[in-house]
Amino acid sequence: MGLIEKGKIEGILSGYKKLCIATVCSHSALQIFRGARQEKVHTIGICTKDRLEFYKSFPHAAPDEFLVVDSLADVPVDELVARDAVAVPHGSFVEYVGERLDGMAVPVFGNRRSLQFERDRMKMFSWMEKAGLRVPKTMKPEEIDRMAIVKFPGAKGGHGYMIVKSEKEYWEKIGKRKALIQEFIVGVRAYPHYFHSAFSGAGFRTSYGHVELMGVDRRVESNAEEIARAVAAGGNVPLSFTVMGNASMVLRESLLPEFMEMGRNVSDTSKELFGGMHGPFCVETIVTEDLDIYAFEISARIVAGTNILYHPYAEFTHGEHVSTGRRIAMELKEAFKKKKMNEIVY
Ligand code: ATP
């Protein structure tokens, strides 16, 4: 399905009398609902029957209203539009709905074109290159001359990735399967959470607004995080990278300007490539012992690491703690008030 015309979404928005925030009950939904509640914005949870009990069990983070669906891939577009809802995409939302999100006739917070770039590895690489990010080297099997990570298409949260050290090992382990081979960077992973705002004056200036640093996390992966215990116990287990959760981190303050500059460059190039990103995004990085920052992916939407609700950088910007979920509601409220929803919703 092709991309729905922007004019159609603007037509839908022109009929909206109020603001309502909807998302799929998964990933960072509790945070999105909680943040909207703090801003007194009505919320809708798109939920399957089996998840209702869980999402109802948090009185301060449950949505005001549920739309029950058979599958989380079935976004009830007409019901959402009838309720003046703006859909907030998150990792699972994007994953479940896939390319159908392009044509979905409901206003989506941000720019749905950014999600096309997130989905397509080649587009993503060209974006990262244009933004001047230092990226791990991509290799062909015959070029493997160092430790490399092998990524399969459609992998979810690093599941199934493998490590190889030579061409011979590659053919033995991977064979003819379609995969991306990337230099394995040794260092500390850091996932900065940014928020691009059309209206705020805080943060670093971009060509179409400002980029704020909200927080930083580190993904907790099985078994990479715990492998030292297995090795110490004499085990010989292959490294794996399946995401289990996230842990908060703060960066050396001297590294922060470079991270802010990265956020700005990614925003500015997104404007040139596809009209800009709005709202939350993340650059997945690894910082080496020489303090070189490598970037291996951009997430053009809220990431799960923001579920850790206290991050000092958001407080430094807003004077009190503001979660990314709440920041989304704040931005939408302001756009609605200023009648500028078309600028940050597509
Ligand atoms: P998601 O879409 O959930 O972000 P994914 O399936 O696209 O995940 P990546 O984020 O690319 O996978 O990678 C998963 C994990 O693999 C990373 O969190 C990191 O631990 C490790 N990893 C990825 N690329 C590299 C690299 N070049 N060097 C070292 N480790 C890497």
Side-chain angles (χ1 to χ4, degrees), residues 151 155 157-158 161 182-183 185 189 191 219 221 284 297:
K151 304 181 175 190
Y161 286 4
Q182 205 174 58
E183 168 189 18
I185 306 294
R189 289 161 305 121
Y191 298 72
R219 288 183 9 175
E221 297 171 341
E284 304 185 12
E297 198 168 294

Side-chain angles (χ1 to χ4, degrees), residues 95 118 121 136-137 148-149 151-152 154-159 161 163 182-187 189 191 219 221 224-225 240-243 284 286 294-297 299 301 303:
E95 188 62 43
E118 171 173 329
R121 256 187 194 142
K137 188 177 172 210
I149 182 164
K151 304 181 175 190
F152 300 102
K156 318 264 180 296
H159 186 68
Y161 286 4
I163 300 293
Q182 205 174 58
E183 168 189 18
F184 185 92
I185 306 294
V186 179
R189 289 161 305 121
Y191 298 72
R219 288 183 9 175
E221 297 171 341
E225 245 58 40
S240 61
F241 306 92
T242 307
V243 182
E284 304 185 12
I286 303 173
Y294 282 82
F296 59 93
E297 198 168 294
S299 294
R301 33 101 194 144
V303 289

Side-chain angles (χ1 to χ4, degrees), residues 185-207:
I185 306 294
V186 179
V188 172
R189 289 161 305 121
Y191 298 72
H193 321 144
Y194 302 97
F195 191 94
H196 191 279
S197 171
F199 313 116
S200 137
F204 271 27
R205 197 173 219 333
T206 69
S207 61

Side-chain angles (χ1 to χ4, degrees), residues 39-51:
E39 291 299 311
K40 307 205 170 13
V41 177
H42 187 81
T43 50
I44 298 173
I46 303 158
C47 198
T48 46
K49 246 194 191 140
D50 57 324
R51 293 181 183 215

